[in-house]
Amino acid sequence: MVVLSYLFYVLVFPGLLFSTIVGLILSGIDRKVVARMQKRIGPPIIQPFYDFFKLLGKETIVPRTASRKTFLYAPVIGLLALVTVALFIPMFKFTAISTVADIIVIIYLLTIPAVALIIGGAASGSPYAGVGISREMVAIISYELPLVIVLLTIGKKVGMALNNGAITFSLSQIVNYQAQYGPMITKWSLIPAAIALLLIIPIKVGSVPFDIAEAETEICEGPLVEYSGVPLAIFKLNHAIKMFIMTSLFVTLFLSGKGTGILIVDILLQVILSAIVVIVSISTLKAITARLKVEQVLKFFWTYPTALALLSLILVWMGF
């Protein structure tokens, strides 16, 4: 029974099937909202499903200069990492897998899809992919520091209340804290950290204005330029699932609490809150800003989100 339970978690909920459906829906909502903000009709919300299944039916072409196995396995590795992350993120009181170091595991696992994109692009042998790879590395360097500081800030805040001052790395403890003391977003000392994470989500997802690695109009989607068919479909799916995971992580860190106690209602509430975060964090920026230059991205994240995250960390450390 235990094995069957974990298979269900991995393949159905909250793993592959659930993350795929919700991720594609959120991607559709994002596209629809951006279109409305720009006074366009936009595609239907289920358009990402059409795109995904259409790509699955296309021929997979592997460049002659590519390292075939690496080229084909890279998107799968990224997908496996994202599905694993989904198992660790609580939905109010429900969590598939809970450990004392959830946050550390998530930090490492969330890096794997970006590394998989880099490896896949490198394996293609395309010069456009080479440019995209270098840009993806810059993006990783840009957002990892403020992201880690935000997570440390949350861990310190919870640890001071529940763990004798020691930083906690357990998402379950973070949810329990919010169930007792209210959502983190209501703590004024954590508002800068929340803003920082809202700014980090778009670059983690690879959305405008921080989509420097793919940049369709500049380098023809960079690392993805040689991809087609099923591998490209999986990379696009990774993008959608990552959108769900990052927004759901924000909900868990800042908007969680007791919930309703009814699993289906709590799941629906988590998805709705994730959709709101998509609109606030991703869609709004995408609609009103243009793509930043590579050097601007690094400067921006090491200045504003890092400063906001550090401000929250200092305030929390001082007991506020």
Side-chain angles (χ1 to χ4, degrees), residues 63 65-66 120-133 219-220 222-226:
T65 57
S124 71
S126 168
Y128 288 111
V131 176
I133 288 168
I219 52 174
C220 307
L224 302 180
V225 64
E226 297 292 350

Side-chain angles (χ1 to χ4, degrees), residues 70-71 74 113-143 211-215 219-227 235 294:
T70 306
F71 182 81
V115 174
L117 182 65
I118 291 171
I119 293 173
S124 71
S126 168
Y128 288 111
V131 176
I133 288 168
S134 64
R135 291 184 174 194
E136 183 66 26
M137 291 178 180
V138 171
I140 294 173
I141 294 171
S142 300
Y143 64 69
D211 59 334
I212 55 174
E214 297 180 15
I219 52 174
C220 307
E221 287 200 294
L224 302 180
V225 64
E226 297 292 350
Y227 276 95
F235 266 129
V294 178

Side-chain angles (χ1 to χ4, degrees), residues 234-306:
I234 296 175
F235 266 129
K236 295 295 184 181
L237 178 61
N238 290 351
H239 177 276
I241 293 178
K242 194 185 295 185
M243 181 181 293
F244 166 60
I245 286 174
M246 289 304 300
T247 54
S248 185
L249 181 62
F250 181 91
V251 172
T252 298
L253 292 175
F254 289 98
L255 302 174
S256 190
K258 293 181 180 179
T260 63
I262 304 172
L263 180 58
I264 295 178
V265 177
D266 286 346
I267 293 169
L268 183 60
L269 183 58
Q270 183 93 2
V271 173
I272 292 172
L273 290 173
S274 296
I276 294 172
V277 175
V278 166
I279 294 171
V280 173
S281 176
I282 298 175
S283 304
T284 303
L285 281 177
K286 186 184 293 186
I288 65 175
T289 59
R291 184 182 302 115
L292 297 181
K293 297 179 180 179
V294 178
E295 61 271 16
Q296 289 176 324
V297 170
L298 184 62
K299 182 178 179 181
F300 176 83
F301 278 94
W302 278 24
T303 303
Y304 300 106
T306 301

